[in-house]
mmCIF file of all heavy atoms in Angstrom:
data_model
loop_
_atom_site.group_PDB
_atom_site.id
_atom_site.type_symbol
_atom_site.label_atom_id
_atom_site.label_comp_id
_atom_site.label_asym_id
_atom_site.label_seq_id
_atom_site.Cartn_x
_atom_site.Cartn_y
_atom_site.Cartn_z
ATOM 1 N N GLY A 223 2.390 13.224 3.812
ATOM 2 C CA GLY A 223 3.485 13.075 4.768
ATOM 3 C C GLY A 223 4.482 14.217 4.653
ATOM 4 O O GLY A 223 4.629 14.828 3.588
ATOM 5 N N ALA A 224 5.171 14.485 5.745
ATOM 6 C CA ALA A 224 6.250 15.471 5.728
ATOM 7 C C ALA A 224 7.536 14.764 6.159
ATOM 8 O O ALA A 224 7.494 13.696 6.766
ATOM 9 C CB ALA A 224 5.935 16.614 6.682
ATOM 10 N N GLN A 225 8.684 15.369 5.831
ATOM 11 C CA GLN A 225 9.989 14.727 6.035
ATOM 12 C C GLN A 225 10.021 13.382 5.286
ATOM 13 O O GLN A 225 9.244 13.195 4.374
ATOM 14 C CB GLN A 225 10.315 14.541 7.523
ATOM 15 C CG GLN A 225 10.546 15.833 8.291
ATOM 16 C CD GLN A 225 9.269 16.536 8.714
ATOM 17 O OE1 GLN A 225 8.398 15.919 9.283
ATOM 18 N NE2 GLN A 225 9.161 17.809 8.431
ATOM 19 N N GLY A 226 10.885 12.458 5.711
ATOM 20 C CA GLY A 226 10.969 11.183 4.995
ATOM 21 C C GLY A 226 11.093 10.041 5.983
ATOM 22 O O GLY A 226 11.364 10.250 7.181
ATOM 23 N N SER A 227 10.932 8.814 5.473
ATOM 24 C CA SER A 227 10.882 7.646 6.357
ATOM 25 C C SER A 227 12.156 7.440 7.173
ATOM 26 O O SER A 227 12.105 6.942 8.295
ATOM 27 C CB SER A 227 10.633 6.394 5.523
ATOM 28 O OG SER A 227 9.384 6.489 4.901
ATOM 29 N N LEU A 228 13.295 7.805 6.594
ATOM 30 C CA LEU A 228 14.550 7.578 7.333
ATOM 31 C C LEU A 228 14.776 8.647 8.406
ATOM 32 O O LEU A 228 15.735 8.585 9.164
ATOM 33 C CB LEU A 228 15.739 7.515 6.367
ATOM 34 C CG LEU A 228 15.749 6.265 5.475
ATOM 35 C CD1 LEU A 228 16.726 6.428 4.316
ATOM 36 C CD2 LEU A 228 16.086 5.014 6.282
ATOM 37 N N LEU A 229 13.859 9.609 8.478
ATOM 38 C CA LEU A 229 13.886 10.595 9.569
ATOM 39 C C LEU A 229 12.865 10.227 10.639
ATOM 40 O O LEU A 229 12.631 10.992 11.572
ATOM 41 C CB LEU A 229 13.591 12.000 9.034
ATOM 42 C CG LEU A 229 14.705 12.673 8.219
ATOM 43 C CD1 LEU A 229 14.176 13.943 7.530
ATOM 44 C CD2 LEU A 229 15.911 13.026 9.082
ATOM 45 N N ASP A 230 12.247 9.053 10.529
ATOM 46 C CA ASP A 230 11.249 8.602 11.503
ATOM 47 C C ASP A 230 11.909 8.429 12.873
ATOM 48 O O ASP A 230 13.001 7.870 12.984
ATOM 49 C CB ASP A 230 10.674 7.266 11.024
ATOM 50 C CG ASP A 230 9.562 6.758 11.914
ATOM 51 O OD1 ASP A 230 9.856 6.147 12.974
ATOM 52 O OD2 ASP A 230 8.386 6.956 11.549
ATOM 53 N N ILE A 231 11.210 8.867 13.908
ATOM 54 C CA ILE A 231 11.760 8.799 15.272
ATOM 55 C C ILE A 231 12.059 7.350 15.697
ATOM 56 O O ILE A 231 12.979 7.107 16.473
ATOM 57 C CB ILE A 231 10.799 9.510 16.278
ATOM 58 C CG1 ILE A 231 11.354 9.591 17.700
ATOM 59 C CG2 ILE A 231 9.420 8.861 16.319
ATOM 60 C CD1 ILE A 231 12.366 10.651 17.916
ATOM 61 N N ASP A 232 11.321 6.381 15.180
ATOM 62 C CA ASP A 232 11.547 4.974 15.545
ATOM 63 C C ASP A 232 12.347 4.205 14.504
ATOM 64 O O ASP A 232 13.169 3.371 14.863
ATOM 65 C CB ASP A 232 10.193 4.265 15.735
ATOM 66 C CG ASP A 232 9.479 4.737 16.983
ATOM 67 O OD1 ASP A 232 9.975 4.442 18.078
ATOM 68 O OD2 ASP A 232 8.445 5.422 16.860
ATOM 69 N N HIS A 233 12.068 4.443 13.239
ATOM 70 C CA HIS A 233 12.667 3.607 12.195
ATOM 71 C C HIS A 233 13.820 4.269 11.447
ATOM 72 O O HIS A 233 14.388 3.666 10.540
ATOM 73 C CB HIS A 233 11.585 3.183 11.182
ATOM 74 C CG HIS A 233 10.550 2.301 11.806
ATOM 75 N ND1 HIS A 233 10.764 0.964 12.031
ATOM 76 C CD2 HIS A 233 9.321 2.579 12.295
ATOM 77 C CE1 HIS A 233 9.704 0.451 12.618
ATOM 78 N NE2 HIS A 233 8.814 1.408 12.796
ATOM 79 N N GLY A 234 14.148 5.501 11.806
ATOM 80 C CA GLY A 234 15.173 6.232 11.077
ATOM 81 C C GLY A 234 16.550 6.110 11.693
ATOM 82 O O GLY A 234 16.816 5.209 12.497
ATOM 83 N N THR A 235 17.410 7.036 11.295
ATOM 84 C CA THR A 235 18.816 6.999 11.703
ATOM 85 C C THR A 235 18.994 7.728 13.051
ATOM 86 O O THR A 235 19.737 8.699 13.141
ATOM 87 C CB THR A 235 19.679 7.649 10.607
ATOM 88 O OG1 THR A 235 19.068 8.892 10.217
ATOM 89 C CG2 THR A 235 19.795 6.757 9.390
ATOM 90 N N TYR A 236 18.287 7.240 14.052
ATOM 91 C CA TYR A 236 18.264 7.829 15.394
ATOM 92 C C TYR A 236 19.673 8.002 15.958
ATOM 93 O O TYR A 236 20.477 7.098 15.833
ATOM 94 C CB TYR A 236 17.450 6.904 16.309
ATOM 95 C CG TYR A 236 17.170 7.465 17.667
ATOM 96 C CD1 TYR A 236 16.020 8.220 17.902
ATOM 97 C CD2 TYR A 236 18.048 7.240 18.724
ATOM 98 C CE1 TYR A 236 15.766 8.740 19.163
ATOM 99 C CE2 TYR A 236 17.795 7.769 19.980
ATOM 100 C CZ TYR A 236 16.657 8.516 20.191
ATOM 101 O OH TYR A 236 16.407 9.035 21.436
ATOM 102 N N PRO A 237 20.008 9.150 16.571
ATOM 103 C CA PRO A 237 19.137 10.281 16.922
ATOM 104 C C PRO A 237 19.070 11.358 15.837
ATOM 105 O O PRO A 237 18.497 12.414 16.092
ATOM 106 C CB PRO A 237 19.806 10.830 18.176
ATOM 107 C CG PRO A 237 21.271 10.614 17.921
ATOM 108 C CD PRO A 237 21.371 9.323 17.148
ATOM 109 N N PHE A 238 19.634 11.089 14.673
ATOM 110 C CA PHE A 238 19.602 12.097 13.602
ATOM 111 C C PHE A 238 18.300 11.961 12.813
ATOM 112 O O PHE A 238 18.294 11.549 11.650
ATOM 113 C CB PHE A 238 20.836 11.949 12.701
ATOM 114 C CG PHE A 238 22.118 12.207 13.453
ATOM 115 C CD1 PHE A 238 22.833 11.162 14.021
ATOM 116 C CD2 PHE A 238 22.584 13.499 13.621
ATOM 117 C CE1 PHE A 238 23.990 11.404 14.735
ATOM 118 C CE2 PHE A 238 23.744 13.749 14.336
ATOM 119 C CZ PHE A 238 24.455 12.697 14.899
ATOM 120 N N VAL A 239 17.234 12.276 13.496
ATOM 121 C CA VAL A 239 15.892 12.083 12.954
ATOM 122 C C VAL A 239 15.036 13.271 13.375
ATOM 123 O O VAL A 239 15.491 14.109 14.149
ATOM 124 C CB VAL A 239 15.264 10.779 13.518
ATOM 125 C CG1 VAL A 239 15.960 9.552 12.958
ATOM 126 C CG2 VAL A 239 15.303 10.755 15.047
ATOM 127 N N THR A 240 13.817 13.299 12.920
ATOM 128 C CA THR A 240 12.888 14.302 13.438
ATOM 129 C C THR A 240 12.098 13.655 14.578
ATOM 130 O O THR A 240 12.320 12.485 14.911
ATOM 131 C CB THR A 240 11.985 14.877 12.312
ATOM 132 O OG1 THR A 240 11.289 16.021 12.817
ATOM 133 C CG2 THR A 240 11.015 13.842 11.756
ATOM 134 N N SER A 241 11.198 14.396 15.211
ATOM 135 C CA SER A 241 10.588 13.881 16.448
ATOM 136 C C SER A 241 9.207 13.270 16.247
ATOM 137 O O SER A 241 8.477 13.092 17.210
ATOM 138 C CB SER A 241 10.528 14.996 17.491
ATOM 139 O OG SER A 241 11.841 15.406 17.798
ATOM 140 N N SER A 242 8.858 12.941 15.003
ATOM 141 C CA SER A 242 7.540 12.334 14.775
ATOM 142 C C SER A 242 7.680 11.037 13.991
ATOM 143 O O SER A 242 8.754 10.716 13.488
ATOM 144 C CB SER A 242 6.641 13.309 13.999
ATOM 145 O OG SER A 242 7.168 13.589 12.720
ATOM 146 N N ASN A 243 6.587 10.307 13.888
ATOM 147 C CA ASN A 243 6.564 9.113 13.042
ATOM 148 C C ASN A 243 6.223 9.535 11.620
ATOM 149 O O ASN A 243 5.078 9.842 11.290
ATOM 150 C CB ASN A 243 5.547 8.086 13.547
ATOM 151 C CG ASN A 243 6.091 7.311 14.729
ATOM 152 O OD1 ASN A 243 5.566 7.389 15.844
ATOM 153 N ND2 ASN A 243 7.172 6.571 14.508
ATOM 154 N N THR A 244 7.271 9.544 10.803
ATOM 155 C CA THR A 244 7.094 9.954 9.407
ATOM 156 C C THR A 244 6.652 8.760 8.562
ATOM 157 O O THR A 244 6.275 8.925 7.411
ATOM 158 C CB THR A 244 8.420 10.486 8.846
ATOM 159 O OG1 THR A 244 9.411 9.460 9.030
ATOM 160 C CG2 THR A 244 8.870 11.732 9.568
ATOM 161 N N THR A 245 6.755 7.556 9.122
ATOM 162 C CA THR A 245 6.311 6.365 8.396
ATOM 163 C C THR A 245 4.793 6.218 8.577
ATOM 164 O O THR A 245 4.166 6.984 9.317
ATOM 165 C CB THR A 245 7.059 5.108 8.868
ATOM 166 O OG1 THR A 245 6.954 5.025 10.277
ATOM 167 C CG2 THR A 245 8.520 5.159 8.474
ATOM 168 N N VAL A 246 4.224 5.218 7.946
ATOM 169 C CA VAL A 246 2.772 5.176 7.765
ATOM 170 C C VAL A 246 1.977 5.154 9.078
ATOM 171 O O VAL A 246 0.838 5.632 9.125
ATOM 172 C CB VAL A 246 2.378 3.990 6.844
ATOM 173 C CG1 VAL A 246 2.495 2.662 7.572
ATOM 174 C CG2 VAL A 246 1.033 4.200 6.213
ATOM 175 N N GLY A 247 2.584 4.643 10.160
ATOM 176 C CA GLY A 247 1.878 4.630 11.444
ATOM 177 C C GLY A 247 1.438 6.017 11.864
ATOM 178 O O GLY A 247 0.416 6.180 12.550
ATOM 179 N N GLY A 248 2.192 7.019 11.468
ATOM 180 C CA GLY A 248 1.853 8.401 11.808
ATOM 181 C C GLY A 248 0.493 8.829 11.269
ATOM 182 O O GLY A 248 -0.167 9.695 11.839
#
Side-chain angles (χ1 to χ4, degrees):
Q225 293 81 50
S227 297
L228 291 165
L229 287 169
D230 184 278
I231 185 78
D232 289 292
H233 295 281
T235 47
Y236 188 90
F238 297 94
V239 290
T240 191
S241 298
S242 63
N243 281 116
T244 56
T245 52
V246 74

